[in-house]
Amino acid sequence: MAQLWKGRFKKELAKETNDFNSSIKFDCRMFEEDIKGSIAHATMLGSAGIIDKSESEKIVDGLSQILDDIKSGKLEIDMQAEDIHTFIEGELTARLGQTGKRLHTARSRNDQVALDIRMVLKKEIDEISNKLKELISVLCTKAEENTNAIMPGYTHLQRAQPITFAHHLMAYCSMLCRDLDRLTDVKRRMNVLPLGSGALAGTTYPIDRNMVAQALGFDDVAVNSLDGVSDRDFCIELASALSIIMVHLSRFSEEIIMWCSWEFKFVELDDAFSTGSSIMPQKKNPDIAELVRGKSGRVFGDLTALLTVMKGIALAYNKDMQEDKEAIFDAVDTVKMCLNAFTPMIDTMTVLKDNMRNAAAKGFINATDCADYLVGKGLPFRDAYKATGELVALCIDKNLTLETLPIEEYKAVCDIFDEKVYEAINLEKCVNDRKAIGGPTAENVLAQIEKARKIIV
Ligand code: ARG
C-alpha cells in the first residue's frame, strides 16, 4: 500500500524498511478507536467551517461504513499498510476520492496515535476493573464461608499466630481494592485529549478541541502540544498498576501452590483447574497458579520496556514511541488472561478446614496468648514471654503441645498458672479475642467483606 508521505520521495520504500517500519500488525486492534476519533475530528472540522459541512458529513458516513465493514468482515485490514491510521485514511480516500483527502486537515498521526492509544486503554482499564471486581466478589463469598476456619498465620513461613482462612483471603481483597483504585486514578489522568497538538506545535486552523474532547468522553484537553504528542506516562502508569496487580496475583499463586502440596493440604483445586503429569500418575499440579506467577515476569518486563523506551528521547514525537503499543497491549492482555483463569480457580477450590485446624494446633501458635494470660495475672510481659518460651521448649522435649502439657508442668515453670490457662490458649478464643479493627474475628472480617462489596457495586 502507498505511503501517505510520498511527495518528497523519489524511490519506493525497500521491503525490509517497510516491514521494519510498519506497526499495522499490532496497531490494527485500534481500528475502532481510530475511526471514532476521526469521526469526531471530521465533525469538528465541518462545524468550525474548516472544511465544508457537506464534505464533513460524507467523511463521517464513509468512516462509519468502513467501521461496519471491518466489523462484519467485509473489509480486511491490509497487513502491508504502514499503520492503522494510514490504512483507514487510504480506504476512505479510495471510497470518497478528493473528499477523503480532507480528513487529515489540522491533524498529524502524532496526535492521532496518542489519542487512539488513550481511547483503547480507557476501555481496557474498564474491562480489567470488572475482572478485578469479579475476583473480589469471589473472595468475599469464599471468606464469608470460612470466617470460623482457623488456620496458622505465618511470618518467615513459620507458624506464628492463629488467624482464619477468611481473614487471610480478605488480605488479598484489600490489595485488589487498592489495585482498583489505582486503575481509576490512572484512567483519570489518561482522560485528557491530545488531539489538536498536531505534529508537535499545534495548528494554524481554528479547531475546537473542547468539542472533540466532549464527543469522545475526555474530561480535558492537553494544554501543551509538545507534551500532548510525546507523553506516554499513561502507558507507564498503567503498566505499573498492572505490574502491582501481578505482584498480588503472583503472591496469591505462590500460596495456592503451597496450600495444594501434600505438606500443607489446605486446599484442593478443582480438576478443571489443575493438570496431570505425563509420567507420574498420582500428580495433580497447580499449573494455573504457577503460570500466573510466571507471567508476572512478562508484565514487569513490559513496564521496564516502556520506561527504557521513553527515558532518552528528546521532545517531541520520535519513532521509538511506536514500541509503546506492543508492551502495553501485552501487559493488558496478560493481566486479563491471568484473571480469566485465576478467578474461577479460586471460586471452585475446596477449602480443607480440618487440615488447617490441625496445622494450627501443632505449631505453638498460641504461645503469645499464653504469655498474655500471664500478663493478665500481673506478670510483666518480658517475664511472661520467657516463661512461655521455657514451656514451649519443654513441650518440644516431651513431644507435647501447650494444649496437652499437664498443669503441673506449667506450675513448675511459673507457679501463677492455673487450669484457666487451657481456656486462654484455646485457638477459637485466641482468634475471637483479637477484636481490634483489622483483626481476624468473624465480626471484623464480615465488616471487611461489607466494605469490599460496597467498593465493587
Ligand atoms: N505508527 C506510529 C506509532 O505508532 C504512528 C505515528 C507515526 N508518526 C510519525 N511521525 N511517523 O507511533
Side-chain angles (χ1 to χ4, degrees):
M1 167 173 277
Q3 277 72 38
L4 290 171
W5 35 263
K6 278 192 92 109
R8 188 199 191 285
F9 289 78
K10 295 194 178 78
K11 268 188 175 175
E12 281 299 322
L13 196 61
K15 165 137 179 36
E16 294 78 2
T17 314
N18 190 51
D19 291 348
F20 186 59
N21 195 45
S22 163
S23 54
I24 191 95
K25 286 192 181 69
F26 44 86
D27 64 22
C28 60
R29 80 188 254 170
M30 309 197 300
F31 75 88
E32 183 160 2
E33 288 72 21
D34 191 76
I35 293 174
K36 286 185 171 161
S38 289
I39 289 177
H41 179 67
T43 308
M44 181 279 290
L45 290 178
S47 115
I50 298 168
I51 63 173
D52 266 7
K53 256 245 156 69
S54 64
E55 288 203 289
S56 148
E57 279 161 13
K58 269 193 211 146
I59 291 174
V60 169
D61 278 355
L63 287 167
S64 304
Q65 271 166 33
I66 292 175
L67 181 57
D68 289 346
D69 290 351
I70 296 177
K71 279 186 166 174
S72 69
K74 225 165 114 187
L75 174 64
E76 211 179 300
I77 296 174
D78 175 7
M79 287 298 147
Q80 292 310 306
E82 185 177 339
D83 53 34
I84 191 65
H85 328 294
T86 311
F87 172 75
I88 305 281
E89 194 187 325
E91 180 64 26
L92 186 76
T93 304
R95 294 184 182 200
L96 301 186
Q98 290 301 104
T99 302
K101 294 185 191 166
R102 298 198 190 279
L103 168 64
H104 211 53
T105 316
R107 185 175 77 167
S108 155
R109 275 184 302 166
N110 297 352
D111 54 353
Q112 188 178 355
V113 71
L115 171 73
D116 292 1
I117 319 172
R118 284 174 196 250
M119 285 172 70
V120 170
L121 294 182
K122 280 202 289 173
K123 252 189 4 207
E124 297 288 6
I125 288 177
D126 289 346
E127 222 181 282
I128 294 172
S129 299
N130 285 335
K131 290 185 193 296
L132 280 177
K133 286 180 183 177
E134 274 169 40
L135 178 54
I136 290 171
S137 165
V138 162
L139 287 178
C140 286
T141 308
K142 271 265 173 293
E144 210 166 31
E145 294 161 6
N146 288 286
T147 53
N148 296 316
I150 298 213
M151 71 178 273
Y154 296 81
T155 62
H156 313 269
L157 205 52
Q158 302 286 320
R159 290 172 189 162
Q161 289 181 339
I163 54 167
T164 66
F165 189 55
H167 193 54
H168 199 110
L169 290 181
M170 290 310 288
Y172 284 105
C173 208
S174 287
M175 301 176 211
L176 297 171
C177 287
R178 285 197 297 277
D179 288 329
L180 260 184
D181 197 39
R182 253 186 292 275
L183 288 179
T184 309
D185 213 36
V186 172
K187 188 176 166 191
R188 179 177 59 77
R189 257 188 304 279
M190 189 184 286
N191 208 14
V192 172
L193 179 93
L195 203 70
S197 299
L200 76 161
T203 173
T204 52
Y205 295 96
I207 57 172
D208 183 349
R209 297 186 67 198
N210 288 317
M211 176 184 171
V212 179
Q214 214 183 5
L216 297 174
F218 283 88
D219 294 334
D220 209 345
V221 301
V223 295
N224 182 296
S225 63
L226 292 169
D227 183 51
V229 287
S230 67
D231 167 32
R232 292 293 182 275
D233 289 3
F234 59 96
C235 293
I236 296 173
E237 278 192 56
L238 178 57
S240 148
L242 296 177
S243 293
I244 300 174
I245 293 175
M246 288 308 292
V247 169
H248 298 153
L249 294 184
S250 183
R251 291 181 77 178
F252 203 167
S253 294
E254 167 65 12
E255 299 213 274
I256 298 286
I257 294 160
M258 284 192 314
W259 293 340
C260 283
S261 70
W262 283 103
E263 284 68 17
F264 277 80
K265 270 285 166 252
F266 285 1
V267 299
E268 167 128 27
L269 295 182
D270 192 87
D271 281 1
F273 296 95
S274 322
T275 52
S277 154
S278 60
I279 175 170
M280 297 168 281
Q282 84 283 10
K283 289 298 283 295
K284 182 169 172 183
N285 296 329
D287 284 30
I288 289 183
E290 290 171 33
L291 254 182
V292 169
R293 189 178 56 183
K295 281 190 188 290
S296 61
R298 266 182 97 106
V299 179
F300 306 161
D302 293 328
L303 171 61
T304 307
L306 285 164
L307 288 166
T308 314
V309 163
M310 293 307 295
K311 82 176 177 64
I313 49 184
L315 299 183
Y317 178 86
N318 295 264
K319 192 73 171 205
D320 317 39
M321 289 160 68
Q322 181 164 288
E323 290 291 311
D324 59 358
K325 282 170 282 302
E326 277 169 296
I328 194 62
F329 292 161
D330 182 70
V332 160
D333 293 344
T334 304
V335 169
K336 285 199 295 192
M337 224 163 50
C338 287
L339 286 168
N340 285 348
F342 195 83
T343 302
M345 178 188 74
I346 298 291
D347 193 23
T348 54
M349 75 184 179
T350 307
V351 181
L352 303 171
K353 292 189 198 189
D354 289 348
N355 293 350
M356 289 180 181
R357 182 70 179 74
N358 289 339
K362 284 184 197 137
F364 302 103
I365 65 174
N366 42 8
T368 317
D369 302 86
C370 181
D372 287 345
Y373 159 86
L374 289 175
V375 170
K377 295 185 102 38
L379 213 61
F381 180 77
R382 220 12 98 205
D383 294 339
Y385 171 96
K386 184 164 173 284
T388 308
E390 284 170 29
L391 287 168
V392 169
L394 196 64
C395 286
I396 292 170
D397 274 353
K398 294 179 179 276
N399 201 18
L400 293 171
T401 61
L402 288 174
E403 288 88 336
T404 53
L405 187 73
I407 190 67
E408 298 74 44
E409 304 273 10
Y410 273 97
K411 284 185 191 288
V413 169
C414 176
D415 59 8
I416 59 171
F417 272 113
D418 63 34
E419 290 283 343
K420 288 222 172 75
V421 68
Y422 297 109
E423 202 181 295
I425 59 166
N426 169 279
L427 291 183
E428 279 71 19
K429 181 171 161 43
C430 297
V431 166
N432 292 334
D433 281 354
R434 293 182 148 72
K435 290 186 204 306
I437 297 174
T441 63
E443 201 186 356
N444 274 329
V445 173
L446 289 171
Q448 291 178 53
I449 294 172
E450 198 185 316
K451 226 175 164 180
R453 284 196 171 134
K454 278 196 188 128
I455 290 172
I456 59 173
V457 285

